[in-house]
């Protein structure tokens, strides 16, 4: 099937994704004396206190290539649930994680409740101050819906 020609268009949206908490300097100093990944994480945050913010920006970009073909790029490692959600909003949407940077692993609300690597431990490796707040899934999905609506409606 040949897709009708259209102008290439792009839309971008930045969403502040909140963390559950921001550790205090004293807590980090106590943890820094320990070995392992939690000690390394504490030393990293003490060395780069600008990372101790209540949120991190998630960049969402929509690139419309043709009618019925759009790319939804995200600067995070996303789980399949986010891609399926984007595809459910509009046909022809291809999700692209790891785009325009990489803030870390982006779990769903149910993964945050369950715990484990994706929701808790991966933050150590990305130098995040804590796990994401449970509201991130709602924020991500709301932002994706808005961005796709804006981008696709302008074709």
């Amino acid at each position: 099937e040949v897709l009708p020609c259209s102008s290439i268009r792009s839309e971008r949206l930045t969403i502040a994704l909140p963390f559950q908490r921001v550790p205090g300097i004293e807590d980090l100093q106590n943890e820094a004396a320990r070995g392992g990944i939690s000690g390394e994480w504490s030393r990293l945050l003490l060395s780069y206190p600008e990372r101790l913010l209540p949120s991190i920006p998630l960049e969402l970009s929509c690139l419309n290539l043709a009618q019925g073909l759009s790319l939804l790029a995200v600067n995070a490692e996303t789980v399949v649930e986010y891609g399926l959600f984007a595809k459910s909003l509009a046909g022809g949407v291809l999700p692209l994680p790891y785009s325009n940077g990489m803030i870390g692993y982006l779990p769903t609300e149910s993964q945050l409740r369950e715990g484990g690597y994706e929701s808790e431990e991966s933050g150590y490796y990305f130098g995040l101050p804590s796990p994401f707040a449970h509201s991130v899934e709602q924020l991500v999905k709301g932002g994706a819906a808005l961005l796709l609506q804006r981008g696709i409606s302008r074709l």
Side-chain angles (χ1 to χ4, degrees), residues 59 61 63 70-76 78 94-100:
E59 298 286 338
S61 302
L63 179 62
S70 299
L71 305 177
L72 179 61
V74 182
N75 66 332
T78 57
L94 299 175
L96 293 175
Y98 318 103
S99 300
N100 301 321

Side-chain angles (χ1 to χ4, degrees), residues 15 22-23 29 39 45-46 58 63 67-69 80 93 102 117:
I15 301 169
V22 177
Q29 289 171 335
L45 292 178
L46 288 167
L58 178 73
L63 179 62
Q67 188 173 2
L69 179 59
V80 72
V93 174
M102 175 60 169
Y117 172 77

Side-chain angles (χ1 to χ4, degrees), residues 136-147:
V136 295
E137 181 175 356
Q138 182 181 11
L139 293 168
V140 171
K141 287 182 174 180
L146 177 64
L147 188 62

Side-chain angles (χ1 to χ4, degrees), residues 3-12 60-73 86 89-94 96 144-155:
L3 298 175
C5 292
S6 64
S7 299
I8 293 177
R9 296 185 173 269
S10 65
E11 295 281 335
R12 189 174 191 168
L60 297 161
S61 302
C62 181
L63 179 62
N64 296 304
L65 300 173
Q67 188 173 2
L69 179 59
S70 299
L71 305 177
L72 179 61
L89 296 174
V93 174
L94 299 175
L96 293 175
L146 177 64
L147 188 62
L148 288 170
Q149 177 190 19
R150 277 190 206 164
I152 292 172
S153 68
R154 292 191 175 140
L155 279 178

